[in-house]
Amino acid sequence: MTREQERLEECRDQKVPWKKWGPYLSERQWGTVREDYSEGGDAWNYFTHDQARSRAYRWGEDGLAGISDDRQRLCFALALWNGKDPILKERAFGLSNSEGNHGEDVKEYYFYLDSTPTHSYMKYLYKYPQAPFPYDDLVKTNGKRTREEMEYELLDTGVFEGDRFFDVFVEYAKGAAEDILVKITAANRGPEAAELHLLPTLWFRNDWSSWIASPAKKPKLEQIKGPVGASAVSAVHPLLGRYTLYCEGDVPLLFTENETNNERIFPGRKNESPYVKDGINNCVVHGNQGAVNPGNQGTKVAAHYRVTVAPGSSATVRLRLKSSLPAGKSAKSRGDPGPFGPDFETTLAGRLKEADEFYSALTPPSVSPDAAAVMRQALAGMLWSKQFYFFDGDQWLKEHHANPLQHGSRQFRNRDWYHMLNEDIISMPDKWEYPWYAAWDLAFHTLPLAIVDPDFAKEQMQLMLRGVYLHPSGQMPAYEWNFSDVNPPVHAFATLFLHNTEKALRGETDVDFLKSAFNKLLLNFTWWVNRKDRFGKNVFEGGFLGLDNIGIFDRSAPLPTGGHLEQADGTAWMALFSQNMLELAAEIAVHDPIYEEMVFKFAEHFHYIAAAMNHSGSDGMWDEEDGFYYDLLRLPDGSATRLKVRSMVGLLPLCATSVMEKAARDRLPRAMAGIAERRRRMPELLESMHPTGPGHFGVADRGIMALVNPERLRRILAKVLDENEFLGPYGIRSVSKFHEKNPYILQAQGKEYRVDYLPAESNTGMFGGNSNWRGPVWMPVNALIIRALQQFYLYYGDGFRIECPTGSGKPMNLFEVSKEIGDRLTRIFLRDGHGRRPVYGGIEKFQTDPNWRDLILFYEYFHGDSGAGLGASHQSGWTGLVAKVIQLYALLDPKQFLDQGKQAGFAKGAGRGGGAGAKA
């Protein structure tokens, strides 16, 4: 067992607070819904980047390479100044939704290089230009570009020409749970010496100001006498306790308050304090010495290091933040080396060595060094993407005069969610572009997180099911822009995955976890049945369902034709939900026979959904001529038409596939007898779904639940594996390439609606225009297709083979097909035969420069033809699934998989870091 694995056990079994401190700051708190107090809900324009340096936040904090405690009371991050910028670089800059030609977009280069799950070691890199940062150029040039044009990026501005920039590395290492060593190294990559101001900053999140409804007691920072060769700051918080920040050297300490500069933001309103949030900025950038407190106290402080770095050289500053004893007590002993004695570097080196050992233990030996580096950076990105998320629905709605419990409240965003109290560390999709949780993203996050920290993955799964998240109606919150929107119901799938991972890891079942999750998921399932099956026909709606612009219409808005949609994806999701709930009930029934009845219940749900979805004829979702599933538009006059867009919507029915081992069936005799009797009495239920039951068992007597029968499976896969349709060089496209020359066009109310194959960015503003499901490759749905193919392989073995690619004359079994897709996904990030990474397309800096080419960004989605990264650039969240894909195919032997069943996918190679498989 590695030392990091021991720390994880200490967290779980002894409650040692190794995770109390971590990278829990956001990359962007401005422009979020929580900070929006505008009348009309204009979050982007109410609180802007330009205001962020001067305006105190209400609900969270942001910063470069930032860390905080797990309630974000005390925060630490790095600020920089090159002597030329108009403001300190305290946070990442990017365009708001209206400024970008494809919506909001960060315009910085920063990288999450490394992290252990307890954050005992972390490393971050920020690339800081030595020339003035081109804020105005980025805004103006992007503002002139159309949706059909590429985005104007920071490299395009020329600000990195001649390599005139600093690589600023920030490393953290824990000497103990609350003893954090900080090492900042600035490397000058340019040809001339350059000056740099380094301002590591410590501050308290503001929860005391008079404008807060229930202000807390104000904490305090003040300079104290430090040891020889160091400056020191005492930080005292009424709830967090006492900490000391040590800064190496006799460095000036600049104090101010983390309070709004009202005189700048709200002209005519006086400041509550003469020292305000932008005081350090005004002192350093404008030379205003009166902007900082000469009494050396406040709620925000920066150590002001000023260095000149020769070309090719680097400068280093060191700090140490640790909990300290109450005033008047001392823990110093004779011969104490102080905060920057020899133990500083040995501890840092030791934590890095332990991180190497940890990742070595969970990376299969057959993985190439390049793939191992990709896997490690993917997991590091996921661990860096943890964030303290704070939202008190009752308080927030009161402050907006929109709480329905108050008389005279107004209609406003999220008005129905006053029960919510979110104050947890949550895995974010992207801490700049999406600094708020999204329910279905989070479910996918838990799969790769389980590789490194199964306990944290389980905690994340349980969050959305807690009473302070889950609506009393059973609805799961979607995301803060609209908690009432609907995400795909994938939490049962992820719960099953985590159960199998833990079972392989610890050899036992956490029955309490399964029961708790199942009972809450039952509420959510019931909500779906009651709210999204409009006429009780077992066909489901749901709106956009996470696929943004994939439909010809905005599927979350009233249709221009009138009527409603019967959605192939919504119905397929519910079929998979039914299968997953059945499997969870089967696992629990081993320990509590009462749950055996729920196995029968969810088998019934699946059968009814399958019969409804596979309904033949002109008013069904299946199109016999095309061999594909489509959304069905039900018009007000009762007529129906299929919306013939070949998209991921029509592939998701393939994903509603699960096998059941004979041993599992044998443990459930009453449920199996009930299911058999129902099929006997209603043979129509079996007409169009995959044959199953006696006479139709597969390899090793496995049963199967699948929406698609063998003939439809072949017809769908023929399109999935056709390189002129869905199969791209780097994974399965979200819309078929068929629509490149054959756009789907519909006329309605005198207006043309169309879907084209768009392999890169969206050409519409639907759902903000900052994502595109009309052609690019998306990792999570590719993972679900891989899972489905593996389920079919467990049933068929070598008895089902198909050409891959279609027309190649090369037959493959379905395990080989799944691996082919997995290999194409991983190739996005790996160097090809020319040493180039497809993820970076034609960006030469990233392809050839030694200081750039091995830095991996995990984008939100990928060009359908070239594999180039698109959308949010730090979407380690579900794109981190690539780490699972790399690990899976390096560990999983197809013969052993077929012989032992799906648990082999978890058990083989399962160490303390998690199981191998992806078969929930």
Side-chain angles (χ1 to χ4, degrees):
M1 182 183 296
T2 68
R3 179 65 188 108
E4 178 63 13
Q5 290 163 344
E6 290 175 352
R7 276 189 284 267
L8 287 169
E9 292 205 349
E10 290 167 8
C11 286
R12 182 178 67 253
D13 300 333
Q14 303 171 35
K15 308 305 177 187
V16 179
W18 282 111
K19 300 178 192 174
K20 181 174 180 177
W21 286 84
Y24 306 144
L25 262 63
S26 177
E27 300 288 359
R28 175 177 64 82
Q29 184 67 16
W30 59 273
T32 60
V33 167
R34 281 161 294 146
E35 301 295 341
D36 176 22
Y37 286 76
S38 65
E39 283 297 312
D42 185 5
W44 283 109
N45 292 315
Y46 178 75
F47 200 136
T48 66
H49 175 271
D50 183 59
Q51 295 175 346
R53 69 180 180 276
S54 307
R55 190 172 178 179
Y57 295 125
R58 170 72 173 93
W59 297 100
E61 295 290 339
D62 56 20
L64 298 180
I67 64 170
S68 76
D69 66 278
D70 58 9
R71 285 297 177 267
Q72 209 177 83
R73 294 178 174 123
L74 183 59
C75 309
F76 176 90
L78 177 63
L80 302 163
W81 190 50
N82 56 16
K84 299 169 185 174
D85 283 349
I87 57 174
L88 289 183
K89 178 63 69 175
E90 294 181 273
R91 56 188 53 79
F93 171 74
L95 305 180
S96 69
N97 181 265
S98 62
E99 290 173 332
N101 59 326
H102 298 120
E104 59 266 31
D105 188 31
V106 70
K107 299 298 182 185
E108 304 270 16
Y109 296 114
Y110 57 97
F111 304 88
Y112 303 133
L113 298 181
D114 211 355
S115 182
T116 58
T118 65
H119 311 295
S120 58
Y121 180 79
M122 298 193 296
K123 190 173 185 179
Y124 169 105
L125 168 62
Y126 176 71
K127 291 184 177 287
Y128 187 38
Q130 294 168 6
F133 194 90
Y135 293 103
D136 290 341
D137 182 22
L138 287 165
V139 173
K140 290 177 181 177
T141 304
N142 275 287
K144 295 175 183 176
R145 295 198 174 186
T146 67
R147 293 193 182 278
E148 285 71 30
E149 294 178 276
M150 295 296 291
E151 295 166 10
Y152 185 62
E153 303 292 1
L154 186 56
L155 272 170
D156 298 329
T157 68
V159 76
F160 288 100
E161 286 183 6
D163 288 333
R164 289 177 170 82
F165 67 93
F166 293 101
D167 267 341
V168 183
F169 297 92
V170 181
E171 291 176 277
Y172 295 99
K174 292 182 179 178
E178 298 192 75
D179 177 14
I180 303 162
L181 289 64
V182 187
K183 184 175 182 179
I184 303 166
T185 305
N188 182 0
R189 304 301 188 194
E192 297 110 15
E195 186 181 52
L196 178 64
H197 298 246
L198 296 153
L199 295 107
T201 305
L202 186 73
W203 73 99
F204 289 109
R205 175 168 58 84
N206 189 327
D207 61 0
W208 63 83
S209 284
S210 60
W211 49 267
I212 294 174
S214 301
K217 184 178 179 181
K218 187 175 181 179
K220 185 179 182 180
L221 299 171
E222 64 177 338
Q223 185 167 5
I224 59 174
K225 182 176 175 57
V228 175
S231 300
V233 176
S234 168
V236 181
H237 189 283
L239 297 177
L240 185 63
R242 182 181 297 269
Y243 288 78
T244 303
L245 175 67
Y246 299 99
C247 312
E248 189 173 32
D250 185 17
V251 58
L253 300 176
L254 308 178
F255 285 84
T256 189
E257 302 290 346
N258 184 22
E259 296 182 3
T260 298
N261 184 346
N262 289 322
E263 294 170 8
R264 176 175 182 258
I265 302 297
F266 307 109
R269 188 185 301 179
K270 291 186 177 180
N271 289 335
E272 293 188 18
S273 164
Y275 309 108
V276 288
K277 184 177 178 180
D278 55 12
I280 296 169
N281 175 88
N282 295 340
C283 175
V284 174
V285 177
H286 304 298
N288 181 3
Q289 298 298 318
V292 294
N293 191 341
N296 292 334
Q297 62 181 18
T299 49
K300 178 180 179 182
V301 62
H304 187 190
Y305 291 93
R306 188 170 180 172
V307 297
T308 298
V309 188
S313 297
S314 61
T316 299
V317 300
R318 303 190 299 177
L319 305 97
R320 194 163 189 162
L321 176 66
K322 60 191 302 185
S323 60
S324 50
L325 295 172
K329 297 186 178 182
S330 174
K332 281 191 175 183
S333 59
R334 184 174 297 178
D336 184 348
F340 303 109
D343 77 302
F344 188 100
E345 292 298 331
T346 56
T347 299
L348 192 69
R351 293 300 92 83
L352 174 57
K353 181 174 181 290
E354 291 163 3
D356 291 340
E357 292 168 350
F358 175 76
Y359 279 103
S360 177
L362 59 83
T363 304
S366 62
V367 172
S368 71
D370 191 29
V374 170
M375 182 176 168
R376 183 166 176 172
Q377 285 189 55
L379 294 168
M382 298 206 67
L383 294 168
W384 267 96
S385 295
K386 296 179 184 180
Q387 178 185 312
F388 175 69
Y389 185 89
F390 184 31
F391 177 77
D392 182 336
D394 178 63
Q395 192 65 56
W396 189 84
L397 288 165
K398 284 178 180 176
E399 293 170 356
H400 288 73
H401 310 292
N403 193 314
L405 299 179
Q406 292 185 317
H407 181 70
S409 63
R410 64 185 178 123
Q411 291 296 322
F412 199 72
R413 174 185 281 133
N414 295 327
R415 189 172 185 268
D416 296 332
W417 295 82
Y418 54 87
H419 76 287
M420 292 184 82
L421 179 58
N422 304 166
E423 45 182 354
D424 297 283
I425 303 300
I426 306 181
S427 175
M428 295 294 151
D430 178 315
K431 291 203 296 185
W432 193 95
E433 191 148 338
Y434 304 106
W436 27 262
Y437 63 83
W440 83 303
D441 296 56
L442 186 58
F444 283 107
H445 295 184
T446 62
L447 277 62
L449 281 170
I451 297 174
V452 290
D453 192 350
D455 294 320
F456 180 70
K458 281 175 63 180
E459 290 165 9
Q460 295 298 286
M461 183 54 54
Q462 290 170 310
L463 275 182
M464 294 296 112
L465 301 177
R466 288 170 49 197
V468 289
Y469 288 80
L470 191 70
H471 195 275
S473 68
Q475 183 178 10
M476 204 170 287
Y479 44 81
E480 69 175 33
W481 286 95
N482 182 5
F483 285 128
S484 295
D485 219 332
V486 185
N487 274 186
V490 289
H491 280 68
F493 157 72
T495 299
L496 191 60
F497 175 91
L498 294 174
H499 156 69
N500 285 324
T501 298
E502 185 173 46
K503 191 174 178 180
L505 177 64
R506 299 184 179 125
E508 58 188 19
T509 296
D510 186 343
V511 180
D512 290 340
F513 166 70
L514 285 184
K515 282 186 173 182
S516 174
F518 182 89
N519 293 338
K520 294 295 184 67
L521 287 165
L522 184 59
L523 294 176
N524 184 239
F525 188 93
T526 304
W527 177 87
W528 269 90
V529 170
N530 290 337
R531 298 292 183 92
K532 295 302 172 184
D533 179 8
R534 186 181 297 240
F535 298 108
K537 299 193 306 178
N538 294 293
V539 290
F540 292 84
E541 301 171 53
F544 89 117
L545 286 178
L547 306 187
D548 293 9
N549 67 335
I550 202 165
I552 195 165
F553 308 127
D554 178 346
R555 300 193 301 169
S556 289
L559 303 179
T561 59
H564 66 279
L565 287 178
E566 294 177 359
Q567 296 182 212
D569 55 339
T571 307
W573 286 124
M574 286 302 290
L576 179 61
F577 197 175
S578 300
Q579 293 171 7
N580 298 148
M581 291 295 280
L582 185 155
E583 289 195 79
L584 286 170
E587 290 289 333
I588 301 170
V590 174
H591 307 275
D592 187 344
I594 291 174
Y595 281 80
E596 189 169 350
E597 187 174 334
M598 302 306 287
V599 174
F600 175 72
K601 168 185 170 61
F602 283 103
E604 275 198 304
H605 277 293
F606 171 72
H607 283 111
Y608 298 152
I609 292 169
M613 181 160 205
N614 289 322
H615 170 68
S616 60
S618 60
D619 61 346
M621 295 181 190
W622 174 257
D623 188 292
E624 184 61 31
E625 181 181 357
D626 290 358
F628 206 74
Y629 288 97
Y630 299 114
D631 281 348
L632 195 68
L633 174 60
R634 291 278 182 186
L635 295 169
D637 65 3
S639 63
T641 185
R642 295 189 191 105
L643 301 178
K644 293 193 173 186
V645 179
R646 296 184 191 174
S647 74
M648 190 59 67
V649 166
L651 300 186
L652 286 171
L654 180 75
C655 299
T657 303
S658 299
V659 298
M660 180 171 269
E661 302 288 343
K662 181 179 184 299
R665 297 198 309 273
D666 290 345
R667 290 194 296 263
L668 304 165
R670 288 187 296 115
M672 293 301 107
I675 292 168
E677 176 62 14
R678 181 54 50 93
R679 290 171 177 168
R680 185 191 69 78
R681 293 180 58 200
M682 299 181 182
E684 302 89 347
L685 293 176
L686 303 178
E687 286 180 357
S688 58
M689 60 182 276
H690 196 291
T692 190
H696 298 286
F697 290 127
V699 174
D701 261 355
R702 293 186 181 108
I704 190 169
M705 297 174 285
L707 283 178
V708 298
N709 62 30
E711 179 192 355
R712 291 184 181 182
L713 175 60
R714 283 196 179 276
R715 295 188 70 186
I716 293 171
L717 286 179
K719 287 184 171 60
V720 171
L721 303 178
D722 188 337
E723 293 179 313
N724 294 312
E725 290 233 24
F726 285 98
L727 184 61
Y730 303 99
I732 305 299
R733 303 174 175 113
S734 49
V735 160
S736 170
K737 196 176 176 69
F738 168 81
H739 290 303
E740 185 174 46
K741 296 179 180 178
N742 304 276
Y744 180 71
I745 299 173
L746 182 71
Q747 301 289 336
Q749 302 297 315
K751 184 177 178 181
E752 179 182 283
Y753 295 85
R754 65 185 288 154
V755 172
D756 298 84
Y757 171 67
L758 303 172
E761 297 287 11
S762 171
N763 63 359
T764 81
M766 194 184 297
F767 281 90
N770 66 327
S771 68
N772 183 25
W773 282 85
R774 294 186 176 182
V777 172
W778 290 75
M779 196 69 65
V781 284
N782 270 259
L784 286 174
I785 291 171
I786 286 173
R787 174 198 172 273
L789 292 168
Q790 291 181 352
Q791 298 287 309
F792 278 119
Y793 173 72
L794 286 174
Y795 179 84
Y796 283 112
D798 284 324
F800 189 108
R801 301 177 75 82
I802 194 165
E803 275 188 320
C804 181
T806 298
S808 67
K810 182 180 179 182
M812 291 186 182
N813 66 37
L814 294 183
F815 182 91
E816 292 167 335
V817 172
S818 76
K819 186 175 185 301
E820 175 65 24
I821 295 170
D823 289 347
R824 292 183 184 223
L825 292 172
T826 57
R827 284 203 296 267
I828 291 172
F829 304 98
L830 302 178
R831 289 188 188 175
D832 62 18
H834 302 286
R836 300 174 71 86
R837 300 185 192 275
V839 64
Y840 287 129
I843 309 174
E844 287 304 311
K845 198 75 173 169
F846 275 105
Q847 296 290 14
T848 59
D849 192 305
N851 291 316
W852 295 71
R853 67 186 180 193
D854 291 324
L855 304 171
I856 311 298
L857 289 174
F858 296 89
Y859 286 85
E860 185 179 5
Y861 49 96
F862 302 89
H863 194 289
D865 298 328
S866 73
L870 299 163
S873 56
H874 292 75
Q875 188 95 352
S876 302
W878 61 20
T879 300
L881 282 164
V882 70
K884 191 80 225 170
V885 174
I886 291 170
Q887 186 201 49
L888 171 65
Y889 286 108
L891 288 174
L892 195 56
D893 174 73
K895 185 178 185 306
Q896 185 178 25
F897 184 39
L898 196 61
D899 290 344
Q900 297 182 8
K902 55 187 173 183
Q903 195 59 38
F906 295 90
K908 179 168 182 178
R912 292 292 180 181
K919 267 66 62 245

